[in-house]
């Protein structure tokens, strides 16, 4: 960008005062301004008048010049872009409205972790006793599906006594059926309950072989022996009134419901969405709603016509919560006489599009374009709408990881649809990573066909060591051992260090609590720093350790951050599973100059780690033992040793998804 500005001025294409460089934060804008001044001065090029600004400061200037009244940004936006205010509003609404409190907690505790796709089946728990994976409930049980977990948690939070998979009272086992264990049993009313894995089409997933026949057999058992059976389905619960209907039926049969969202969770591994995370989800949703100028009517139309898969109880429950917070947010802005970032950008765009003020620039350049929201993209389009204007957008779609801050990757991948045809140049050489890291990272992130395809070459000589995955029950111990080995190698001179004798090691976590793996006293010749993966963007270190590579709600990928409700507010939602979480993992991998270590759990491997098992540049060990084997059945999980009634055997780590 700096070189192009200097070139344009030196060739007489444009004067410095007609060049605008747009950045996403103040530090980046300041750095651009300083680089332009110093490098142009060194080359004898006059750069006076050239401006580097953030989108926000430029937008405020546009409104001020168009109206004579420059707006003021709300002070509370300093609280993590307003997330603190959303949390404050939610707290007040919960205190003032019983219905809001109920809906907020119902979504937070039950539906926030539930996938919108019935086929999504990645257990987040494990039990050493029966040697099975599954889904942890608030009561401390291990159940077999997302739907069963939701039902179990709903019953627990309402104080309903139930037994999970109690053996049926009559022995019905035969040559083709083991003893029948219905999903739930209610001892107070002697009623059984089956929760069927049926989608909106009334059918189970295609891979559930024999499921329909099993349903028919179970119904026949109850009919034959005269036992009462309640039925619910995943589609009823996610898209209909299944939870409400279940409550009504059980109440009619004599059970009492006592909703208490503060009941103690008996297993800390059964993590639910906390208030702060739901506030962040609401703020992210709001950012996209306002950037696109959506109204409630707009979203209702999209919900009913365009995004049928989201048109259900879960999404509508979220919208009931969201619009109440949105209304109070707008009321507080009006009372304060201020605007938020999205309002400001949309107003600036309106003035530019209406011709209330001239753009004033001929050459516009935008940094980090993969992080642009629709409102930012509209602002840029308004600046270059007139003939004779030029645009350079610089970005890496593989590093688009800020959807929570309003980023919409489609403005980059659909660039020509918004701005017209233009030349695309790929910057394919990295001066940071080894070729091995490049190959692993590129292969992984390129699985998404909706992104740009490009090669990735390292400027370093030699391929570099493989990416190493260690599977361990003791992540802190594994990290300590790794750091000790590095320290010894540095001391022996087999690993080169910097002028200060130090080697840098960044420990990255998807969540802040992943810092718990850090040793209290790291080796003195290693500079060990913890960062979140988001916080590592743009940085680098000699060695990268990525901790917390597990499956589950707060694993990596993070199922909460990928909440499908966000698709409703995105003009062109991504269809590839976990698209942004994949890019976030790519960013983590490519921070390393020399090598990468991934720390995972042997029975709760992240699906990203499972995928890397197939890469020849990745070495996987379990607590320092031999490499592990991929499951020959599904090709995704790995074989783990288990004990059954006939002795030890090897089974897939993704059980029950793969049997």
């Amino acid at each position: 960008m700096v070189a192009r500005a200097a070139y344009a001025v030196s060739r007489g294409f444009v004067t410095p005062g007609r060049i605008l460089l747009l950045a996403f934060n103040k530090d980046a804008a300041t750095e651009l301004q300083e680089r332009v001044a110093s490098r142009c001065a060194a080359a004898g090029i006059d750069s006076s008048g050239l401006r580097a600004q953030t989108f926000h400061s430029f937008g405020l200037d546009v409104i001020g010049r168009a109206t004579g009244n420059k707006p003021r940004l709300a002070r509370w936006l300093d609280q993590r872009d307003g997330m603190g205010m959303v949390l404050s509003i939610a707290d007040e609404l919960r205190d003032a409205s019983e219905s809001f409190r109920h809906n907020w907690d119902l979504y937070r505790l039950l539906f926030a972790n539930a996938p919108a796709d019935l086929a999504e089946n990645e257990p987040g728990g494990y039990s050493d006793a029966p040697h099975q994976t599954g889904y942890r409930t608030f009561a401390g049980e291990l159940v077999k599906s997302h739907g069963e977990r939701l039902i179990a948690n709903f019953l627990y939070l309402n104080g309903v006594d139930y037994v999970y998979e109690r053996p049926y009272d009559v022995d019905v086992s035969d040559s083709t059926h083991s003893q029948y264990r219905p999903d739930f049993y209610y001892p107070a009313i002697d009623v059984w309950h089956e929760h069927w894995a049926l989608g909106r089409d009334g059918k189970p997933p295609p891979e559930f072989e024999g499921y329909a026949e099993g349903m028919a057999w179970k119904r026949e058992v109850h009919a034959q022996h005269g036992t009462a059976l309640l039925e619910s389905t995943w589609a009823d619960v996610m898209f209909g009134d299944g939870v409400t209907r279940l409550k009504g039926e059980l109440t009619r049969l004599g059970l009492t419901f006592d909703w208490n969202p503060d009941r103690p969770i008996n297993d800390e591994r059964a993590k639910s969405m906390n208030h702060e995370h739901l506030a962040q989800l609401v703020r992210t949703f709001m950012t996209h709603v306002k950037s696109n100028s959506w109204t409630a009517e707009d979203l209702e139309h999209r919900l009913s016509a365009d995004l049928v898969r989201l048109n259900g109880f879960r999404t509508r429950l979220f919208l009931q919560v969201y619009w109440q917070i949105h209304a109070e947010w707008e009321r507080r802005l009006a009372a304060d006489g201020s605007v938020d970032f999205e309002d400001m950008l949309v107003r600036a765009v309106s003035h530019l599009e209406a011709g209330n003020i001239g753009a004033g620039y001929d050459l516009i350049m935008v940094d980090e374009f993969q992080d642009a929201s629709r409102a930012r993209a509209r602002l840029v389009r308004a600046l270059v709408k007139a003939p004779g204007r030029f645009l350079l957008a610089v970005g890496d779609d593989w590093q688009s990881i800020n959807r929570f801050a309003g980023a919409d990757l489609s403005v980059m991948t659909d660039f020509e649809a918004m701005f017209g045809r233009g030349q695309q140049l790929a910057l394919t050489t990295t001066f940071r990573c080894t070729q091995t890291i490049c190959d692993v990272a590129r292969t992984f992130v390129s699985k998404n066909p909706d992104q740009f395809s490009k090669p990735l070459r390292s400027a370093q000589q030699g391929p570099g060591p493989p990416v190493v995955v260690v599977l361990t029950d003791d992540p802190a111990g594994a990290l300590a051992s790794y750091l000790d080995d590095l320290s010894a190698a540095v001391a022996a001179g087999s690993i080169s260090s910097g002028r200060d004798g130090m080697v840098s090691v960044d420990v990255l976590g998807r969540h802040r609590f992943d810092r718990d793996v850090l040793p209290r006293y790291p080796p003195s010749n290693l500079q060990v720093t913890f960062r979140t993966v988001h916080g590592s963007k743009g940085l680098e270190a000699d060695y990268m350790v990525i901790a917390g590579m597990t499956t589950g709600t707060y694993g990596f990928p993070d199922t909460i951050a990928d909440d499908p409700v966000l698709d409703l507010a995105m003009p062109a939602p991504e269809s590839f599973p976990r698209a942004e979480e994949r890019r976030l993992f790519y960013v983590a991998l490519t921070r390393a100059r020399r090598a990468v270590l991934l720390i995972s759990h042997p029975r709760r491997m992240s699906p990203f780690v499972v995928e890397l098992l197939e890469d020849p540049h990745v070495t996987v060990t379990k607590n320092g033992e031999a490499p592990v084997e991929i499951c020959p059945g599904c090709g995704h999980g790995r074989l783990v040793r288990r004990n059954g009634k006939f002795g030890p055997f090897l089974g897939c780590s993704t059980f029950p998804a793969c049997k």
Side-chain angles (χ1 to χ4, degrees):
M1 289 172 66
V2 173
R4 178 163 292 211
Y7 179 77
V9 172
S10 66
R11 291 295 302 271
F13 297 145
V14 62
T15 61
R18 303 287 295 182
I19 299 176
L20 174 66
L21 282 68
L22 289 171
F24 279 79
N25 59 61
K26 189 175 181 180
D27 289 342
T30 300
E31 183 179 1
L32 278 172
Q33 191 77 60
E34 291 173 349
R35 288 193 183 189
V36 166
S38 62
R39 295 188 182 184
C40 285
I45 300 171
D46 178 20
S47 65
S48 56
L50 187 152
R51 301 180 68 189
Q53 284 188 277
T54 64
F55 275 94
H56 297 143
S57 65
F58 178 73
L60 291 172
D61 288 348
V62 167
I63 299 172
R65 285 187 286 134
T67 65
N69 183 16
K70 185 176 181 178
R72 178 170 59 87
L73 286 169
R75 290 164 293 184
W76 67 69
L77 294 173
D78 294 335
Q79 305 172 37
R80 290 178 63 183
D81 191 28
M83 193 278 289
M85 177 56 77
V86 170
L87 191 59
S88 175
I89 291 173
D91 286 343
E92 293 183 17
L93 288 172
R94 290 169 64 226
D95 291 339
S97 168
E98 185 63 33
S99 64
F100 179 89
R101 179 185 180 86
H102 179 265
N103 290 340
W104 171 273
D105 285 329
L106 191 64
Y107 190 87
R108 179 177 68 87
L109 294 169
L110 297 183
F111 288 94
N113 299 337
D117 184 357
L118 175 58
E120 187 175 324
N121 187 33
E122 287 185 359
Y126 181 80
S127 174
D128 288 310
H131 295 277
Q132 290 183 347
T133 53
Y135 301 82
R136 291 283 175 190
T137 70
F138 295 159
E141 300 166 311
L142 204 66
V143 298
K144 291 192 174 95
S145 70
H146 283 292
E148 290 179 358
R149 177 177 63 180
L150 192 151
I151 295 291
N153 288 342
F154 174 71
L155 296 170
Y156 175 78
L157 292 173
N158 279 287
V160 174
D161 182 31
Y162 69 90
V163 181
Y164 179 70
E165 288 198 337
R166 169 181 155 167
Y168 190 59
D169 287 342
V170 181
D171 186 355
V172 294
S173 60
D174 55 29
S175 60
T176 57
H177 299 96
S178 58
Q179 175 57 12
Y180 177 33
R181 291 175 176 266
D183 294 333
F184 301 96
Y185 175 69
Y186 305 101
I189 55 176
D190 191 26
V191 171
W192 305 87
H193 173 194
E194 285 285 2
H195 181 72
W196 309 118
L198 302 182
R200 303 179 92 172
D201 58 359
K203 299 178 181 179
E207 61 269 23
F208 283 26
E209 296 181 9
Y211 192 86
E213 293 79 1
M215 290 175 57
W217 179 80
K218 292 172 183 178
R219 286 168 173 159
E220 182 181 341
V221 165
H222 286 283
Q224 180 181 351
H225 297 283
T227 47
L229 174 66
L230 293 180
E231 301 182 41
S232 60
T233 73
W234 180 84
D236 287 340
V237 170
M238 292 301 295
F239 300 104
D241 60 348
V243 169
T244 303
R245 188 149 28 95
L246 176 63
K247 178 182 177 181
E249 291 176 341
L250 290 174
T251 301
R252 178 180 57 81
L253 291 169
L255 291 183
T256 300
F257 280 70
D258 179 23
W259 172 258
N260 180 5
D262 298 319
R263 291 186 194 277
I265 295 178
N266 294 331
D267 191 326
E268 63 178 10
R269 292 167 292 184
K271 295 177 180 176
S272 61
M273 177 183 272
N274 59 34
H275 296 286
E276 184 175 286
H277 278 95
L278 182 50
Q280 180 62 68
L281 177 61
V282 168
R283 178 61 183 130
T284 298
F285 192 82
M286 180 188 293
T287 299
H288 290 283
V289 166
K290 301 191 78 171
S291 289
N292 291 283
S293 301
W294 299 126
T295 64
E297 292 73 21
D298 292 331
L299 293 191
E300 179 60 34
H301 175 73
R302 288 171 57 77
L303 193 58
S304 59
D306 301 328
L307 294 170
V308 176
R309 69 185 185 88
L310 292 176
N311 188 359
F313 179 83
R314 180 186 195 276
T315 303
R316 293 187 180 279
L317 179 65
F318 176 83
L319 290 176
Q320 289 181 45
V321 168
Y322 171 75
W323 284 117
Q324 291 183 70
I325 294 175
H326 182 106
E328 180 60 19
W329 176 281
E330 294 295 281
R331 189 195 69 77
R332 295 189 184 197
L333 284 177
D336 189 52
S338 57
V339 297
D340 58 29
F341 292 131
E342 294 76 44
D343 286 339
M344 179 270 296
L345 288 169
V346 170
R347 290 187 194 180
V349 169
S350 298
H351 289 301
L352 289 170
E353 290 179 340
N356 298 337
I357 182 175
Y361 298 97
D362 297 320
L363 174 58
I364 293 91
M365 292 185 278
V366 187
D367 194 19
E368 303 286 358
F369 197 67
Q370 77 277 356
D371 292 331
S373 64
R374 283 275 162 170
R376 289 185 174 99
R378 284 179 56 198
L379 180 67
V380 174
R381 184 173 62 182
L383 289 173
V384 299
K385 181 173 63 174
R389 303 277 169 76
F390 300 92
L391 169 64
L392 170 66
V394 183
D396 182 359
D397 59 315
W398 293 357
Q399 296 191 57
S400 179
I401 60 172
N402 290 320
R403 183 167 68 163
F404 69 91
D408 186 341
L409 184 59
S410 66
V411 304
M412 184 170 184
T413 54
D414 296 335
F415 184 87
E416 291 189 355
M418 178 166 280
F419 300 100
R421 295 185 63 185
Q423 187 178 16
Q424 182 184 115
L425 302 175
L427 306 179
T428 60
T429 301
T430 175
F431 296 89
R432 177 190 300 133
C433 304
T434 66
Q435 189 60 51
T436 294
I437 294 174
C438 287
D439 291 342
V440 172
R442 179 190 178 279
T443 300
F444 179 83
V445 79
S446 296
K447 295 288 179 62
N448 185 349
D450 299 326
Q451 298 167 165
F452 293 125
S453 177
K454 48 188 178 286
L456 192 60
R457 303 183 184 92
S458 172
Q460 296 186 25
Q461 293 183 351
V467 171
V468 176
V469 177
V470 59
L471 302 174
T472 176
D473 296 325
D474 180 16
L479 175 60
S481 177
Y482 179 73
L483 295 177
D484 287 342
D485 290 345
L486 275 182
S487 175
V490 172
S494 55
I495 291 180
S496 60
S497 59
R499 294 180 180 177
D500 56 0
M502 302 285 285
V503 166
S504 59
V505 181
D506 276 8
V507 179
L508 304 183
R510 178 62 183 85
H511 308 93
R512 290 186 179 87
F513 60 72
D514 288 324
R515 70 166 57 247
D516 293 345
V517 301
L518 287 179
R520 182 173 297 181
Y521 303 107
S524 59
N525 57 355
L526 300 181
Q527 182 181 345
V528 182
T529 306
F530 176 83
R531 309 180 198 276
T532 63
V533 183
H534 277 102
S536 74
K537 188 168 179 285
L539 304 177
E540 58 187 61
D542 294 321
Y543 295 88
M544 282 291 161
V545 178
I546 308 176
M549 295 299 304
T550 60
T551 189
T553 301
Y554 291 99
F556 195 177
D558 184 317
T559 57
I560 288 179
D562 249 3
D563 196 306
V565 75
L566 291 176
D567 288 349
L568 183 61
M570 307 285 285
E574 296 187 81
S575 59
F576 198 79
R578 306 186 189 92
E580 180 146 329
E581 289 290 299
R582 293 180 73 87
R583 292 191 292 268
L584 190 60
F585 186 50
Y586 167 83
V587 168
L589 289 172
T590 53
R591 300 307 93 196
R593 288 190 287 260
R594 301 184 186 180
V596 176
L597 175 75
L598 309 178
I599 299 179
S600 186
H601 191 282
R603 293 181 295 272
R604 293 186 292 112
M605 278 196 301
S606 161
F608 291 169
V609 171
V610 173
E611 187 173 322
L612 291 184
L613 292 177
E614 302 177 11
D615 194 306
H617 299 101
V618 176
T619 299
V620 188
T621 63
K622 179 182 177 183
N623 293 324
E625 300 172 3
V628 299
E629 293 183 66
I630 297 174
C631 171
C634 66
H636 299 296
R638 68 175 192 86
L639 296 180
V640 294
R641 182 182 177 87
R642 295 199 175 106
N643 291 312
K645 61 182 178 180
F646 301 113
F649 67 96
L650 293 177
C652 183
S653 62
T654 67
F655 175 85
C658 172
K659 295 182 172 63

